[in-house]
Amino acid sequence: MHNLTNSCSPQVSMLDNILLILDRDGVLNLDTPTGVTKTDELVLIDEAIQGVAHASKLGATVYVCTNQANVGRGLLTESLLLDFHHKILSAVKDHGGVIQEFFYCPHRPEDDCDCRKPNTKMLEMILSLHPDKIPVFVGDSSSDLEAATRTDIHSILIGTGKGLVTREAYPFHPFAMNFSELIPLLAALNYHHVSKTLLTRSLEIKENIYTTFKLSHFIAQRVSDNGVVLSIGNGGSCALSDHFVAELQIRFNRERAPLPAVSLSSQSSSITAASNDYSYQSSLLRPLESFMNIAPASILFCFSTSGKSTNIINAAQLAKNKGIPVVSYIGLADSPLALLSDYIIYAGHSRTPEVQDLHEFYVHQLCHQLDLIYTTDQ
């Protein structure tokens, strides 16, 4: 096993906890039936090169881990192999990114070495260099997935190279068609060590992370227009509403200015008075309207596992009527509350404990994005 080192380091940002380990053939360059052995056979995948550079600029620490048995077969010299790797390094660097090192196994399958994937020596050496980071192995073959499983790290199957064929044997494995789809999965892992079971819900994660990114900038715009983040929920969702507001008012991970936010559901005197004088179904309307009158650029967050709670729906309807944007954190995308919402974060199922866990996960993602927006050194 050998490695090629690059001494540069990337800027730190939203993927700074990620140790991104990539297979080479089929992931960074087109593969051939007998492997790449000649200079004119090394054809880089432009989208992948740009994607690696983007991940690097977002803070990911990037390595490549590749089997190169043609060296052992005498069909490829190590000198030419290093030239291939320098070409990939240079291409990524041209887009502003960094690959830290190439680890490669030159042995044939029959050599029975401990570094050829799916064996784990190369991965173990990379992991030992960054024990505090969250490792994610991205590859297109079953040997890549098996190596990650043996090492007990996250792996994501990518749709280039042999990826679509491999997916037929691993239909429920975390999957990204390309690097554009890979980045939000890495972002989901970055600040929360997501379980392998959760990561298989890659479709929901990708959609929700994209929504969260757009939502963070929308919140910043509303706040700049003197709006207030208003938040409501019942029961456990009320607790999450309080939690969310506390993160905005105080801080999440970085020092920044406090953001204007109020959890309307936790105002017990107002809620019980409105419930007594009017009805529980309308208990949020007057507290909500009091803020809409003085801060018309506000935004309403609705936390509801079912998306069917009448008092939450009534509040969302009032906000909609008054031109206040509505953001809903719900269990299933198909719900009455979703129909009133401008932004939807959905868990993908209806079991209350799992929905609430996922809602907290996405709230933290949103708070992290807001940290990046409001931190002066970004």
Side-chain angles (χ1 to χ4, degrees), residues 20-154:
L20 178 58
I21 307 170
L22 304 169
D23 180 39
R24 196 197 80 178
D25 297 329
V27 176
L28 299 178
N29 58 269
L30 299 180
D31 204 355
T32 70
T34 57
V36 178
T37 59
K38 300 176 183 178
T39 301
D40 60 0
E41 292 177 343
L42 183 69
V43 179
L44 304 187
I45 302 173
D46 290 339
E47 192 272 345
I49 296 300
Q50 294 176 37
V52 172
H54 185 47
S56 171
K57 288 187 287 185
L58 291 175
T61 302
V62 184
Y63 286 79
V64 176
C65 178
T66 177
N67 291 340
Q68 294 297 324
N70 280 329
V71 174
R73 297 186 182 110
L75 302 176
L76 173 65
T77 66
E78 288 201 67
S79 175
L80 185 54
L81 177 64
L82 294 179
D83 286 344
F84 291 165
H85 292 172
H86 278 297
K87 182 176 180 180
I88 296 172
L89 282 172
S90 297
V92 171
K93 186 177 180 180
D94 288 344
H95 288 283
V98 173
I99 295 176
Q100 298 293 332
E101 296 188 44
F102 280 76
F103 282 74
Y104 62 92
C105 170
H107 305 115
R108 303 168 300 170
E110 58 267 30
D111 292 335
D112 196 28
C113 67
D114 57 359
C115 54
R116 180 178 172 82
K117 296 175 295 183
N119 292 326
T120 61
K121 185 176 180 180
M122 288 192 290
L123 287 179
E124 289 170 357
M125 292 190 68
I126 295 171
L127 297 180
S128 70
L129 298 173
H130 301 278
D132 58 335
K133 291 189 177 291
I134 301 170
V136 187
F137 190 25
V138 177
D140 68 323
S141 70
S142 59
S143 65
D144 297 327
L145 305 186
E146 177 62 24
T149 298
R150 293 183 186 183
T151 319
D152 194 27
I153 64 174
H154 290 293

Side-chain angles (χ1 to χ4, degrees), residues 172-362:
F172 302 109
H173 197 86
F175 176 79
M177 188 64 198
N178 49 40
F179 273 81
S180 295
E181 293 191 1
L182 177 65
I183 296 297
L185 293 182
L186 298 178
L189 285 164
N190 190 54
Y191 272 83
H192 302 268
H193 208 315
V194 182
S195 70
K196 293 182 176 66
T197 301
L198 173 58
L199 193 58
T200 62
R201 308 190 69 86
S202 56
L203 176 61
E204 289 92 340
I205 288 178
K206 283 181 280 194
E207 290 182 357
N208 289 328
I209 292 295
Y210 278 130
T211 300
T212 297
F213 179 79
K214 292 185 292 185
L215 179 57
S216 65
H217 288 272
F218 184 65
I219 291 172
Q221 181 60 55
R222 301 294 285 191
V223 169
S224 72
D225 293 335
N226 297 316
V228 177
V229 177
L230 306 172
S231 186
I232 57 176
N234 295 325
S237 294
C238 176
L240 182 55
S241 171
D242 290 351
H243 178 178
F244 174 49
V245 165
E247 303 287 18
L248 298 185
Q249 290 180 345
I250 311 305
R251 54 167 284 173
F252 183 57
N253 274 333
R254 301 185 179 205
E255 291 297 334
R256 54 159 171 76
L259 301 180
V262 177
S263 179
L264 299 176
S265 297
S266 65
Q267 298 180 347
S268 57
S269 296
S270 296
I271 297 301
T272 54
S275 298
N276 183 65
D277 293 352
Y278 300 99
S279 69
Y280 182 74
Q281 286 73 20
S282 62
S283 59
L284 292 166
L285 300 186
R286 292 183 71 83
L288 174 60
E289 192 167 11
S290 69
F291 277 94
M292 293 192 300
N293 290 336
I294 63 172
S298 294
I299 181 171
L300 177 64
F301 276 72
C302 301
F303 294 94
S304 174
T305 57
S306 69
K308 299 176 182 179
S309 301
T310 304
N311 63 328
I312 304 296
I313 291 172
N314 288 341
Q317 185 66 68
L318 175 62
K320 199 75 174 174
N321 293 343
K322 296 287 188 177
I324 300 295
V326 176
V327 180
S328 292
Y329 283 64
I330 53 181
L332 297 174
D334 182 16
S335 71
L337 183 57
L339 298 177
L340 297 170
S341 303
D342 299 280
Y343 293 87
I344 300 171
I345 302 293
Y346 67 103
H349 53 74
S350 58
R351 294 186 300 275
T352 297
E354 287 86 347
V355 172
Q356 291 176 343
D357 283 346
L358 286 165
H359 284 179
E360 183 175 44
F361 164 74
Y362 290 119

Side-chain angles (χ1 to χ4, degrees), residues 4-34:
L4 172 67
T5 303
N6 184 35
S7 60
C8 299
S9 60
Q11 67 185 48
V12 175
S13 188
M14 64 183 291
L15 298 183
D16 54 345
N17 289 325
I18 296 296
L19 174 59
L20 178 58
I21 307 170
L22 304 169
D23 180 39
R24 196 197 80 178
D25 297 329
V27 176
L28 299 178
N29 58 269
L30 299 180
D31 204 355
T32 70
T34 57

